[in-house]
Amino acid sequence: MNASPGNESPLRLVIHGASGRMGQALLRLAPEFPSMQVVAAVVRRTPSPRVVDGVPYFASTELASLPPFDVAIDFSLPQGFDAILALCAQRGAALVSGTTGLSDAQRGALDEAAVRSPLLWAANFSLGVAVLNDLVERAAAMLPGWDCDIVEAHHTRKLDAPSGTALALGESAGRGGASPHYASLRAGDIVGEHLVQFTGIGERIELAHRASNRDIFARGALHVATRLCGKAPGSYRVADLLG
Ligand code: NAD
């Protein structure tokens, strides 16, 4: 791998799920990170044309043919996740994944693969949600006995519910002692909104995050990808790699 400061060769990046909303954002924003170079884009079906803006495209059935790479960023769907995880583990490459709706078995496979590669899975790559998780855990700890409800809203084409971010916020609330309930809205083109509400007798606290642009997730994933390369195998969190 090739991550030492001042090294002239850029890190070789694969974008997996490249034709999706997040994949397109990643490809558009990758040039903002000159320490990395996109060496392959992976889409579900056989691509045509095979090269776009100098980036070679591969079908998901052609993963074995990918050129050497240092890190893959995966924003696909659960059915695409296993293959890119296995490839990264096999090649000892780093993996940053934001794919949500993973099964317990897939989360287990992620832990197992961390023996061979540096891996980071996160339900959300925005700085605001990282802060919100911290606030929610603290609020839950300070409000024993209050009801905790998490309401999330996303665009109509989102497949999983509750969102991965809502579940992660629920885990934060749980660490503070709360037992959250969830509600999901699917409407229009909403990028992602999360409200965590603590309700007592006669009073209520609302903690909310609203994403108006999915570029924040793409930039966050690209940023942590630069930091993950060269790390020892293991499971990393966004908070480990910020700064
Ligand atoms: P999308 O539906 O627009 O794109 C999904 C892409 O995955 C498509 O291009 C599809 O062709 C591809 N795909 C499907 N099956 C595949 C397979 N077997 N192999 C390879 N590729 C395959 O979805 P999106 O809005 O881009 O989101 C993608 C994922 O990222 C979803 O799980 C979503 O919930 C998640 N997401 C996470 C964050 C975050 O910050 N963690 C932010 C936004 C979206």
Side-chain angles (χ1 to χ4, degrees), residues 16 19-22 44 60 75-76 80 98 100 122-125 158:
H16 187 255
S19 59
R21 285 173 286 265
M22 283 300 301
R44 189 169 35 174
S60 55
F75 281 81
S76 59
T100 61
N124 197 297
F125 285 89
K158 182 167 179 63

Side-chain angles (χ1 to χ4, degrees), residues 16-23 42-44 60 75-81 97-101 122-126 155 157-158 160 165 214 217:
H16 187 255
S19 59
R21 285 173 286 265
M22 283 300 301
V42 181
V43 295
R44 189 169 35 174
S60 55
F75 281 81
S76 59
L77 294 175
Q79 54 266 40
F81 174 80
S97 176
T99 298
T100 61
N124 197 297
F125 285 89
S126 85
H155 54 89
R157 284 175 292 170
K158 182 167 179 63
D160 52 318
T165 301
R214 54 178 57 82
F217 309 128

Side-chain angles (χ1 to χ4, degrees), residues 8-161:
E8 284 158 23
S9 306
L11 298 164
R12 298 160 296 181
L13 169 66
V14 167
I15 306 285
H16 187 255
S19 59
R21 285 173 286 265
M22 283 300 301
Q24 290 292 299
L26 287 160
L27 284 166
R28 179 168 44 79
L29 296 172
E32 292 182 8
F33 295 79
S35 63
M36 292 191 294
Q37 181 183 2
V38 182
V39 295
V42 181
V43 295
R44 189 169 35 174
R45 298 202 177 86
T46 305
S48 175
R50 280 281 177 177
V51 178
V52 179
D53 294 334
V55 176
Y57 274 59
F58 294 81
S60 55
T61 51
E62 300 168 334
L63 282 185
S65 307
L66 287 188
F69 64 96
D70 299 300
V71 58
I73 300 182
D74 163 62
F75 281 81
S76 59
L77 294 175
Q79 54 266 40
F81 174 80
D82 296 348
I84 190 66
L85 176 66
L87 185 73
C88 288
Q90 182 196 333
R91 297 205 187 176
L95 173 66
V96 172
S97 176
T99 298
T100 61
L102 299 182
S103 66
D104 289 346
Q106 288 176 309
R107 299 296 294 270
L110 198 53
D111 291 338
E112 284 169 24
V115 176
R116 308 193 59 178
S117 297
L119 306 174
L120 186 153
W121 177 89
N124 197 297
F125 285 89
S126 85
L127 177 60
V129 165
V131 172
L132 182 61
N133 270 295
D134 184 52
L135 295 175
V136 165
E137 181 174 342
R138 285 160 51 196
M142 295 168 83
L143 301 169
W146 287 37
D147 289 323
C148 175
D149 294 278
I150 300 176
V151 184
E152 56 97 349
H154 283 87
H155 54 89
T156 51
R157 284 175 292 170
K158 182 167 179 63
L159 297 178
D160 52 318

